[in-house]
Amino acid sequence: MERFKIFLLTVAVCVLVTSQESTTDPPVPQIQSEWSEAFHGEKVSLKCVIQDSNSWNYTWFKGLNEIVSNDETNIQGNTLTLSVQSGHGGVYECQAELQDRNVTTAKSPPHSLRVHELPKPELSIVSQWKTFYPTEKLTLKCSIKEDSNKWDYEWFRNGALLSQDKDISFSGNTLSISSVNVVHAGQYTCRGKHQTRKPVTTGKTEALQLNVHDTTPKPTITKNQWFEPFYSKERVQLNCNMPGVGWEYHWYKGSNRLTTSPEFTIDSVSVTDTGNYQCKAQRGDFSVDSETLQVRVQDPPKPQIQSEWTEAFHGEKVSLQCVIQDSESWKYTWLRDQNKIVSSDVTNIKGNTLTLSVQSDHGGVYECQAELQDRNVMTGKSPPHSLTVHGPQPTIVLKQDPSYPEIYTGEQVRLICSIQEKTSKWQYIWEKDSRQVNTDPSNPVYTIQSASLPQNGEYSCQVRRGEKTSSKSRKLTVKEPPKPELSIMSQWKTFYPTEKLTLKCSIKEDSDKWDYEWFRNGAPLSQDKDISFSGNKLSISSVNVVHAGQYTCRGKHQTRKPVTTGKTEALQLHVHDITPKADISKHQWFEFFYTEERVHLNCTMSGVGWQYQWYKGSSPLIKNAELAFSSVSHTHIGDYHCKAQRGDFSVNSETLQVQVQARPAVSLSLETELGDIMTGDMTLRCNVSDGRQWNYTWFMNGQQLNETSDLLKRKGNEETIKSEFKCKGINTERPLYSALSDGFIANNIIFKRKILLAISLCLVCCIVILIIGCIVLKITRKPEVKETAQDDLFFSMTDSKIQAASPMKEYMDNSPTELEECQEKEELITDRTSAVQEDAVIKDEETPASEANGLISFKGL
């Protein structure tokens, strides 16, 4: 029996297992990986995942081939790790087998992996040149054609990794050097570094050699057929050259650009082409300036004919010279009346000189011209030179130098005798009053070195050459120079230190033709920091005691240099050694003034010519010697001084302080007693509270009243309540009176307060009567007394509900009408009283403070 049970149990288990195996398929594995593409050399992981908790063994397939674990295809657990090689691209699948059971899953869905070769970056330089100069800008570019926007870049110089600094910066695939120097020279390489796939880097590029010069040469300017200077219409040709490639050349004259070319040519220069020329070699943002080359261009020099001969007599020898202010070699041509002169016995040309043996037909206009040898340069013609040929007789001209009608004593004068025909070899005989005065017959000039009055007279000049004689005479007049006058340009001759002084030296005759010399105590004066001369005036900008003394002056002719007048009479100048301050005199002065008092000041300064200016602090007030304030106020408080001034000189007084104190304040108040209210009278009180005894003056509507007491009583009639009252205190000592009080206008305030008082009294009486009535009613109306009174005086709330009501409650219950009547009367009286009070208060508050002077009695009653 037991065996049968065991058999049945075994059969049941087998049936159960058989049933389970037949109903469940093995799970399908899935390949999980973020890798669908990879670069050669990357690490790629593929995971075979089964949603089952059993233990599985995994097999990997690439295409139809099973993958075997090795260094490049490592299989651990459910993970396949690839060290990607070029042959690893393809379709991957995985399959799992249940451990200890012969259960194998189907293959996973395929997973494709694409393998890329690492791109090769290319390094280039963004310029046509690879050799640079200091401060030049350099840009290198590292290019990856495949997915260029997914790569970052690393830069190397001589194999060392580069980082950014003040000169080197990276931007995308570009390396920029803002200012190249020799430390930047070397071999540059770069490589790409993938932005998202961090370990992936390309190989380095081929090295790019960068050369940097240690110095920057200037561009060289070469000159073709150079002259100093050039003459107009000649050709100028310049060339600019800079070692290296990629240069663009710009030519400048000064700061103005001319042309962009290595060659600069001016086919026909002019004077306007004169200037400093420079070329600039530029490539990219870098440029180098050449040295400055000065080109000087001028018009060919103009020849001048030099000769003392403008007139000649027949048979004389005359020489004309063609002169050019130039060291070049010139060839000369002569013309007379536009006709070329050929060298002969009577017209001999040698070098730049033409020599004439004068004939009658040699008169005319002569010109010369020159040509520069070896350069195609021709000068213009010289200015014409006229030669006049005369007959045998000369014409005498007698002149006086200077040619003034009158010569001053001491002046030099010359008498000049000349032949109008400009010929030479004449003898000159000078006579005064028919007596010969000269000893040198070859001198055509008779000179008087220092003229004097005895040299007045008639002078004649006789000329001789061979047998030819001729004479001419003229009169010479000599006189004394005019006498100057010295004056001082002010009303005073006594000065204070730093004052300005002007002296005037006057010459009435030809006053605009004289300069002046000045003297102090006989010694000549010269300009210094204080003394200056202008025309006929001497100015001392700041007088001091050293300038005192006796002054004189004299005239010195502007054009006739030796001529000076005599000195003027001496003018005595006095200078004080110190400057007193302007004096302020005070009329009835107090340590401090009360408002409305008078302040009176006078400013004086010794001497004449003074003008006065008053100041408060630094602010000018009036220009007057007197300063008066008829009624001072607080605005006059401050420091005052006066300035005395004559000309540009001024003196300040001491500072005087004016202090102003307000007059004692006075208060005007309304004092209204009960009797006054009832009678309608108004009582005002005026009070000055400074502790002294005061009398008072009253004003009604601006008119003074005959009242001296501090109290003023007036009937509250129609005229009174509309009038304005003011008061002020009167005293026998300063201050003699107080300030004026503010004005007070009663308006209807008195009558309003009477009504208010009457209503208030009525209200009080009504309230008292009402209270008394209520008390009497309460006493006279007693509640009914029950026979069964409680023994205990204190009863509970429960007992109170069944007990009789209190007398007051019974009265209130039984007499509601009487209570309501009392309440209505009370409310009516209260409302009327409140209305009257509110009206009175509102109207009083509407009364301006200026009218009521803030004096409101019983307000709010």
Side-chain angles (χ1 to χ4, degrees):
M1 189 63 180
E2 291 293 332
R3 292 181 179 178
F4 181 72
K5 290 181 179 178
I6 293 171
F7 173 77
L8 291 177
L9 180 62
T10 303
V11 171
V13 170
C14 292
V15 170
L16 179 61
V17 171
T18 305
S19 173
Q20 288 179 346
E21 288 180 354
S22 63
T23 58
T24 302
D25 291 331
V28 178
Q30 301 290 327
I31 297 178
Q32 292 182 355
S33 177
E34 61 180 354
W35 299 92
S36 60
E37 295 185 358
F39 286 104
H40 188 279
E42 278 191 286
K43 289 283 188 181
V44 172
S45 294
L46 304 178
K47 184 178 288 188
C48 190
V49 177
I50 295 178
Q51 301 298 326
D52 193 321
S53 60
N54 291 314
S55 298
W56 301 86
N57 292 325
Y58 297 90
T59 305
W60 289 87
F61 299 91
K62 179 174 177 287
L64 299 176
N65 301 318
E66 182 179 347
I67 299 174
V68 180
S69 182
N70 56 34
D71 293 338
E72 295 177 355
T73 55
N74 181 28
I75 299 174
Q76 287 190 357
N78 67 337
T79 301
L80 169 65
T81 302
L82 301 175
S83 296
V84 177
Q85 302 296 320
S86 57
H88 285 163
V91 176
Y92 287 80
E93 296 172 304
C94 71
Q95 192 174 29
E97 181 181 357
L98 192 61
Q99 296 179 3
D100 302 327
R101 293 169 62 184
N102 190 22
V103 178
T104 302
T105 69
K107 288 184 178 180
S108 67
H111 179 85
S112 296
L113 178 66
R114 183 181 176 188
V115 176
H116 299 280
E117 291 294 331
L118 284 171
K120 180 80 173 173
E122 294 181 0
L123 178 61
S124 61
I125 189 168
V126 186
S127 68
Q128 306 169 15
W129 53 95
K130 297 182 181 180
T131 300
F132 292 82
Y133 292 101
T135 74
E136 198 167 2
K137 186 175 179 180
L138 161 67
T139 302
L140 298 178
K141 187 173 182 180
C142 193
S143 302
I144 296 178
K145 295 180 180 179
E146 183 178 328
D147 294 333
S148 59
N149 59 337
K150 294 183 179 180
W151 294 90
D152 291 331
Y153 298 87
E154 292 179 321
W155 298 87
F156 303 86
R157 181 173 64 230
N158 299 328
L161 182 66
L162 280 175
S163 58
Q164 298 189 85
D165 58 21
K166 67 181 183 65
D167 295 322
I168 298 175
S169 62
F170 307 142
S171 176
N173 66 337
T174 301
L175 178 150
S176 297
I177 303 179
S178 59
S179 180
V180 173
N181 57 61
V182 290
V183 301
H184 298 127
Q187 289 189 332
Y188 284 76
T189 55
C190 69
R191 71 181 179 190
K193 185 176 181 181
H194 206 279
Q195 294 174 352
T196 56
R197 300 158 75 165
K198 296 302 181 183
V200 177
T201 58
T202 69
K204 290 183 181 179
T205 62
E206 293 182 3
L208 189 152
Q209 179 66 41
L210 178 66
N211 299 313
V212 180
H213 293 284
D214 54 353
T215 59
T216 303
K218 288 182 176 292
T220 304
I221 297 179
T222 55
K223 302 172 285 189
N224 297 339
Q225 199 175 7
W226 187 257
F227 302 108
E228 285 287 344
F230 285 90
Y231 290 115
S232 299
K233 299 183 180 180
E234 288 192 287
R235 188 171 189 268
V236 175
Q237 185 176 352
L238 304 173
N239 283 82
C240 188
N241 182 60
M242 182 74 181
V245 297
W247 295 102
E248 184 180 73
Y249 297 93
H250 305 281
W251 282 93
Y252 291 84
K253 180 185 178 185
S255 60
N256 298 321
R257 181 184 286 189
L258 300 174
T259 185
T260 300
S261 173
E263 181 180 293
F264 175 66
T265 302
I266 305 175
D267 291 323
S268 179
V269 296
S270 64
V271 175
T272 58
D273 294 318
T274 297
N276 294 323
Y277 289 79
Q278 187 180 41
C279 81
K280 176 185 286 187
Q282 184 169 0
R283 60 184 185 187
D285 295 332
F286 179 71
S287 62
V288 185
D289 292 333
S290 70
E291 297 288 350
T292 299
L293 181 67
Q294 186 181 43
V295 175
R296 290 195 305 116
V297 181
Q298 64 185 41
D299 291 328
K302 198 167 187 178
Q304 302 288 332
I305 295 178
Q306 293 182 355
S307 177
E308 61 180 357
W309 299 94
T310 57
E311 301 187 24
F313 291 94
H314 188 277
E316 290 187 295
K317 289 283 187 181
V318 172
S319 293
L320 305 177
Q321 192 172 26
C322 189
V323 177
I324 294 178
Q325 301 298 328
D326 195 320
S327 60
E328 303 285 352
S329 298
W330 299 90
K331 182 179 179 182
Y332 298 90
T333 302
W334 287 90
L335 301 100
R336 181 176 65 240
D337 298 332
Q338 303 297 324
N339 299 314
K340 185 175 181 180
I341 300 175
V342 180
S343 183
S344 65
D345 294 338
V346 295
T347 56
N348 182 30
I349 299 174
K350 188 174 182 181
N352 67 337
T353 303
L354 169 64
T355 303
L356 300 174
S357 297
V358 177
Q359 303 293 320
S360 57
D361 60 347
H362 285 168
V365 176
Y366 286 79
E367 295 172 302
C368 70
Q369 193 173 19
E371 181 180 1
L372 190 61
Q373 297 178 2
D374 303 326
R375 290 166 66 180
N376 189 24
V377 176
M378 177 70 76
T379 70
K381 293 179 181 178
S382 68
H385 180 86
S386 295
L387 178 65
T388 303
V389 175
H390 296 285
Q393 295 297 329
T395 302
I396 299 175
V397 177
L398 181 56
K399 294 181 180 180
Q400 174 186 309
D401 180 32
S403 60
Y404 308 121
E406 298 171 326
I407 300 298
Y408 291 119
T409 54
E411 198 170 9
Q412 184 189 72
V413 62
R414 298 189 308 158
L415 298 176
I416 303 169
C417 190
S418 61
I419 306 299
Q420 191 171 0
E421 290 79 11
K422 305 299 181 186
T423 53
S424 59
K425 298 183 180 180
W426 295 91
Q427 289 185 334
Y428 303 90
I429 307 299
W430 289 94
E431 295 180 345
K432 179 181 179 290
D433 300 331
S434 301
R435 186 164 59 93
Q436 185 173 344
V437 292
N438 72 320
T439 56
D440 184 7
S442 64
N443 192 352
V445 179
Y446 176 68
T447 303
I448 301 174
Q449 295 293 342
S450 180
S452 61
L453 295 177
Q455 289 173 322
N456 277 297
E458 188 83 17
Y459 290 80
S460 66
C461 168
Q462 187 181 86
V463 295
R464 298 176 184 173
R465 184 162 67 179
E467 301 297 327
K468 297 176 183 179
T469 61
S470 184
S471 65
K472 191 76 178 274
S473 62
R474 67 172 295 155
K475 186 178 181 180
L476 178 65
T477 302
V478 181
K479 73 170 188 176
E480 293 284 353
K483 188 170 181 65
E485 293 179 0
L486 178 60
S487 61
I488 187 168
M489 297 182 69
S490 66
Q491 305 168 17
W492 53 95
K493 296 183 181 179
T494 301
F495 294 82
Y496 292 102
T498 74
E499 196 166 2
K500 186 176 180 180
L501 160 68
T502 302
L503 299 178
K504 185 176 181 181
C505 193
S506 302
I507 296 178
K508 296 180 179 179
E509 183 180 322
D510 295 333
S511 59
D512 59 334
K513 295 182 179 179
W514 296 89
D515 291 331
Y516 298 87
E517 295 177 318
W518 297 87
F519 304 86
R520 182 173 64 229
N521 300 328
L525 276 175
S526 58
Q527 297 189 92
D528 58 22
K529 66 181 182 65
D530 295 322
I531 298 175
S532 62
F533 306 142
S534 177
N536 65 337
K537 294 176 183 177
L538 177 149
S539 296
I540 303 178
S541 60
S542 181
V543 172
N544 58 61
V545 290
V546 300
H547 297 129
Q550 290 189 330
Y551 284 76
T552 55
C553 68
R554 71 180 180 189
K556 185 176 181 181
H557 206 282
Q558 294 175 353
T559 55
R560 301 161 73 169
K561 295 301 182 184
V563 177
T564 57
T565 68
K567 291 183 180 180
T568 62
E569 294 181 3
L571 186 151
Q572 181 66 44
L573 179 67
H574 300 280
V575 181
H576 294 284
D577 55 350
I578 58 172
T579 303
K581 288 186 175 290
D583 182 56
I584 297 178
S585 58
K586 303 171 284 188
H587 301 272
Q588 199 173 8
W589 188 257
F590 302 104
E591 181 180 352
F592 61 84
F593 290 85
Y594 289 103
T595 54
E596 301 179 13
E597 286 189 314
R598 177 178 171 81
V599 176
H600 188 191
L601 303 172
N602 276 84
C603 188
T604 56
M605 183 74 184
S606 59
V608 296
W610 295 102
Q611 293 181 338
Y612 299 93
Q613 170 79 59
W614 281 93
Y615 292 84
K616 179 183 179 185
S618 60
S619 302
L621 297 176
I622 61 170
K623 291 186 176 180
N624 198 351
E626 181 182 21
L627 175 66
F629 304 125
S630 59
S631 177
V632 295
S633 65
H634 286 90
T635 60
H636 296 115
I637 294 174
D639 295 331
Y640 292 80
H641 74 276
C642 74
K643 177 186 286 185
Q645 185 165 358
R646 61 183 185 187
D648 296 331
F649 177 71
S650 62
V651 181
N652 289 322
S653 69
E654 297 287 353
T655 299
L656 183 65
Q657 189 177 47
V658 174
Q659 296 184 4
V660 180
Q661 182 172 317
R663 293 186 176 276
V666 61
S667 61
L668 178 59
S669 60
L670 174 65
E671 295 193 356
T672 307
E673 298 177 354
L674 184 60
D676 292 336
I677 294 176
M678 301 304 297
T679 61
D681 290 341
M682 177 179 65
T683 302
L684 300 177
R685 179 181 292 278
C686 191
N687 181 49
V688 179
S689 58
D690 67 346
R692 296 194 299 164
Q693 293 296 324
W694 289 85
N695 291 326
Y696 297 90
T697 299
W698 291 88
F699 301 89
M700 185 173 76
N701 296 328
Q703 298 296 321
Q704 185 173 347
L705 303 177
N706 190 18
E707 297 283 346
T708 59
S709 173
D710 61 337
L711 290 176
L712 176 66
K713 288 193 175 185
R714 283 290 185 270
K715 290 292 184 181
N717 52 35
E718 184 177 354
E719 179 187 1
T720 302
I721 65 174
K722 292 182 179 179
S723 297
E724 182 183 41
F725 291 88
K726 293 183 180 180
C727 70
K728 68 178 179 180
I730 305 296
N731 211 313
T732 57
E733 297 179 354
R734 293 184 66 248
L736 300 178
Y737 54 90
S738 70
L740 187 64
S741 72
D742 293 331
F744 172 74
I745 300 176
N747 288 330
N748 294 320
I749 187 169
I750 294 175
F751 298 123
K752 290 178 182 178
R753 289 177 180 174
K754 285 182 180 181
I755 295 170
L756 179 60
L757 181 59
I759 294 172
S760 300
L761 289 174
C762 291
L763 178 62
V764 171
C765 290
C766 290
I767 294 172
V768 171
I769 292 169
L770 179 63
I771 294 172
I772 292 171
C774 291
I775 294 172
V776 170
L777 288 173
K778 180 179 179 182
I779 295 172
T780 57
R781 295 193 61 150
K782 296 181 179 180
E784 296 178 0
V785 180
K786 291 186 179 182
E787 295 178 357
T788 58
Q790 296 293 332
D791 294 334
D792 194 353
L793 295 175
F794 301 95
F795 51 89
S796 65
M797 292 299 295
T798 307
D799 295 338
S800 66
K801 292 180 181 179
I802 61 175
Q803 288 179 357
S806 65
M808 180 61 75
K809 182 177 187 301
E810 183 179 356
Y811 172 77
M812 296 298 291
D813 293 336
N814 296 332
S815 303
T817 306
E818 294 178 359
L819 183 58
E820 289 175 0
E821 289 175 356
C822 289
Q823 289 176 347
E824 288 175 357
K825 291 178 181 179
E826 183 180 357
E827 290 174 358
L828 178 61
I829 293 171
T830 303
D831 292 341
R832 291 181 63 187
T833 304
S834 300
V836 172
Q837 288 176 334
E838 290 173 358
D839 180 66
V841 170
I842 292 171
K843 289 182 179 179
D844 285 349
E845 288 178 351
E846 288 175 351
T847 303
S850 62
E851 296 179 4
N853 195 26
L855 304 174
I856 301 175
S857 300
F858 306 112
K859 185 172 181 179
L861 288 179

